[in-house]
Amino acid sequence: MTDEPERTDRVRTAHTADLAPAALDEIRALLDAAFDGDFSEDDWDHTIGGIHAVVQDEQGLAAHGSVIQRRVLHRGRSLRVGYVEGVAVRADRRRQGLGGRVMEALERVIDRAYVLGALSASDEGAALYAARGWAVWPGRIAALGPHGVVPLPDEEGSTYLRPVVAAGLPDASDALFFDWRGGDLL
């Protein structure tokens, strides 16, 4: 027996509407720190409005990720996509499996509620997603903007998909057209 508080590291999920303002402030602070201050208001807007997976320890929020709904047009069909946002682990808790546990909770939501999962991976996060079976989208990516199609060649190679088993991956010979939003489109 030690004098240290026990770490439970239990993953909890909740919709944004069910999180107290203080919890949202704590999530925002974690994301600001994890992204070295490069987490904009648009990035924050993209992170809220869906299901959050959080891990608390004795020091507070240790890890976070969320999945929000987006629409993706592929071959004339509008797909309901669970889009992963704001995945971060506090610096002192990295490389302890918390990112994987957050993703496991988000993947459960995606697998039960969406046709497809999608995310845009940083260089640092790509290995986590690949190890969990997410696949790099090999085709073209664009967004449907207010004035038409906006190609997103910089997102090609860093956009990962998680197919729901019955649906499989879309045909890569045709582009994925993501819905429009402010800030980074993916």
Side-chain angles (χ1 to χ4, degrees):
M1 182 146 223
T2 67
D3 292 348
E4 278 187 43
E6 181 183 340
R7 287 187 177 162
T8 61
D9 295 344
R10 185 174 60 89
V11 178
R12 183 175 72 98
T13 58
H15 191 278
T16 301
D18 296 324
L19 295 173
L24 291 170
D25 290 345
E26 192 175 19
I27 292 168
R28 178 62 195 259
L30 172 71
L31 294 170
D32 284 337
F35 290 95
D36 297 322
D38 190 26
F39 196 79
S40 71
E41 286 300 316
D42 285 325
D43 294 331
W44 177 243
D45 185 58
H46 301 166
T47 301
I48 59 176
I51 301 295
H52 300 261
V54 296
V55 177
Q56 295 278 342
D57 66 11
E58 68 278 355
Q59 294 177 16
L61 183 62
H64 170 271
S66 64
V67 62
I68 54 103
Q69 182 173 305
R70 294 196 66 184
R71 286 289 178 174
V72 173
L73 187 64
H74 182 264
R75 291 193 162 187
R77 184 172 169 222
S78 178
L79 304 174
R80 188 180 64 257
V81 173
Y83 199 85
V84 174
E85 293 282 4
V87 176
V89 177
R90 200 175 62 226
D92 67 317
R93 293 300 311 272
R94 291 184 184 145
R95 305 284 180 243
Q96 297 176 23
L98 296 184
R101 296 191 53 222
V102 164
M103 286 304 298
E104 180 179 13
L106 298 178
E107 290 162 357
R108 185 181 62 76
V109 172
I110 290 166
D111 292 350
R112 293 182 181 181
Y114 297 99
V115 173
L116 190 67
L119 59 84
S120 181
S122 65
D123 291 339
E124 298 80 23
L128 169 66
Y129 308 123
R132 299 194 59 76
W134 288 72
V136 173
W137 172 250
R140 292 174 298 122
I141 295 177
L144 295 175
H147 304 292
V149 173
V150 177
L152 300 172
D154 292 345
E155 297 295 337
E156 294 170 4
S158 64
T159 299
Y160 285 70
L161 301 182
R162 176 183 177 83
V164 174
V165 177
L169 283 173
D171 182 351
S173 67
D174 204 356
L176 294 178
F177 298 92
F178 283 81
D179 56 355
W180 188 259
R181 64 185 188 175
D184 292 333
L185 297 176
L186 290 190

